[in-house]
């Protein structure tokens, strides 16, 4: 049985005898033990296992199994064009994260690691934002951030976020404990921006859990899902598992 994730937990135990409520104005206790936090991270590393990436849930099920099983990827390096595309995307992420970090009223944390051991999901969100001052009720509003780069033709056609990005955003929101993720699309041809605010979709979350059960059944049985051409990115530079899949 997979426990439900509460977006705003009423208590957060971190070390013996340390917990607090959701109202940050009532937080008078000293911080938790940094040593215990570090020890917890070290223990998690020792117990680290295979996992599913949030970005994979909107795509091919077979590639998710190959990734989970640490199947050898090939070729080890993409071609020059794809390398430049990937590096451009990385540079734009860094640039956008720098912009957000300079706002005086918003605290921005880039590259937030997320994981859920029960479902073996692990990844890294592009960022988490929160207001630096609490509202009249003592709450700090916070939300997630995802940047997607896109070409001019696709950008102009965007009237809503792509479905696979909504799935990814829902996973990140659940694992970061927020209710909203802003997906920001950056047009690589014109530097224009479009944003869409995505709220946690419980229906999508249920589908994510069902897919994990489905994938684990195949993994435990040593089988693969039936090939689906609609899921396939049939290029060795877009899917590093094409040869394994065809074999």
């Amino acid at each position: 049985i997979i426990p439900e994730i509460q977006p705003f937990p009423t208590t957060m135990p971190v070390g013996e005898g340390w917990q607090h409520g959701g109202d940050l104005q009532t937080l008078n206790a000293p911080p938790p033990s940094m040593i215990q936090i570090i020890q917890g991270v070290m223990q998690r590393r020792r117990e680290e296992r295979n996992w599913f990436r949030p970005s994979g849930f909107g795509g091919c099920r077979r590639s998710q199994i190959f990734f989970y099983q640490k199947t050898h990827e090939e070729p080890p390096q993409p071609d020059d064009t794809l390398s430049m595309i990937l590096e451009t995307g990385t540079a734009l992420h860094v640039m956008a994260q720098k912009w957000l970090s300079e706002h005086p009223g918003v605290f921005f944390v880039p590259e937030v690691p997320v994981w859920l051991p029960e479902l073996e999901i692990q990844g890294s969100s592009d960022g988490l934002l929160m207001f630096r001052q609490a509202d009249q009720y003592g709450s700090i509003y916070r939300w997630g951030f995802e940047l997607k780069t896109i070409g001019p033709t696709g950008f102009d056609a965007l009237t809503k976020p792509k479905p696979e990005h909504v799935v990814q955003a829902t996973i990140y929101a659940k694992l970061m404990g927020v209710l909203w993720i802003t997906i920001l699309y950056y047009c690589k041809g014109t530097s224009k921006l479009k944003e869409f605010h995505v709220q946690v979709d419980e229906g999508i979350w249920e589908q994510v859990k069902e897919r994990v059960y489905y994938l684990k059944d195949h993994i435990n049985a040593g089988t693969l899902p039936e090939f689906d051409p609609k899921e396939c990115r049939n290029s060795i530079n877009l899917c590093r598992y094409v040869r394994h899949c065809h074999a």
Side-chain angles (χ1 to χ4, degrees):
I1 299 175
I2 302 300
E4 288 297 322
I5 299 175
Q6 301 300 321
F8 294 101
T10 56
T11 60
M12 186 180 68
V14 185
E16 184 177 355
W18 192 92
Q19 60 184 11
H20 66 82
D23 186 347
L24 296 183
Q25 289 185 343
T26 65
L27 182 58
N28 296 317
S33 167
M34 194 66 65
I35 293 176
Q36 289 185 9
I37 292 176
I38 293 173
Q39 289 174 341
V41 172
M42 294 298 104
Q43 178 65 25
R44 179 175 172 272
R45 285 186 176 182
R46 287 191 292 271
E47 297 174 351
E48 189 168 351
R49 50 186 163 178
N50 299 348
W51 67 87
F52 301 106
R53 292 179 295 188
S55 59
F57 282 88
C60 175
R61 295 165 296 171
R62 292 165 72 98
S63 67
Q64 281 189 284
I65 290 180
F66 287 132
F67 175 83
Y68 181 92
Q69 294 176 328
K70 294 183 171 63
T71 302
H72 175 68
E73 298 182 8
E74 54 183 8
Q77 294 293 329
D79 63 29
D80 292 341
T81 301
L82 185 59
S83 292
M84 288 187 284
I85 291 173
L86 295 174
E87 290 189 18
T88 299
T90 299
L92 292 173
H93 273 72
V94 172
M95 181 176 66
Q97 289 168 337
K98 183 177 184 297
W99 293 339
L100 293 171
S101 66
E102 293 179 2
H103 194 286
V106 174
F107 182 73
F108 176 70
V109 182
E111 300 300 329
V112 180
V114 296
W115 60 87
L116 179 60
E118 292 87 350
L119 290 180
E120 297 183 297
I121 298 175
Q122 179 175 311
S124 178
S125 171
D126 287 337
L128 177 70
L129 300 97
M130 62 184 73
F131 291 131
R132 291 184 182 272
Q133 294 185 344
D135 62 20
Q136 59 181 322
Y137 304 105
S139 299
I140 298 290
Y141 188 86
R142 53 200 178 106
W143 71 104
F145 162 71
E146 275 296 303
L147 178 70
K148 301 297 181 184
T149 58
I150 189 171
T153 301
F155 182 87
D156 292 339
L158 277 179
T159 59
K160 59 183 179 180
K162 293 187 175 183
E164 62 269 26
H165 296 159
V166 174
V167 174
Q168 186 179 358
T170 291
I171 296 173
Y172 284 139
K174 292 292 288 189
L175 300 192
M176 288 194 295
V178 299
L179 296 177
W180 292 88
I181 294 276
T182 296
I183 302 179
L184 184 67
Y185 287 93
Y186 182 101
C187 180
K188 292 180 285 188
T190 63
S191 292
K192 292 181 179 180
L193 300 170
K194 286 184 181 180
E195 66 177 355
F196 301 95
H197 303 302
V198 177
Q199 191 174 21
V200 169
D201 187 318
E202 294 298 336
I204 289 178
W205 180 242
E206 289 302 316
Q207 293 173 11
V208 168
K209 292 194 289 187
E210 289 174 4
R211 176 178 275 209
V212 170
Y213 305 147
Y214 172 83
L215 295 174
K216 289 302 295 288
D217 284 344
H218 275 287
I219 291 169
N220 293 334
T223 59
L224 287 171
E226 183 177 351
F227 177 77
D228 186 346
K230 292 183 294 184
E231 292 184 350
C232 182
R233 305 175 73 183
N234 192 15
S235 166
I236 198 68
N237 281 323
L238 295 178
C239 177
R240 304 297 183 82
Y241 305 115
V242 166
R243 291 175 183 167
H244 296 286
C245 186
H246 288 190

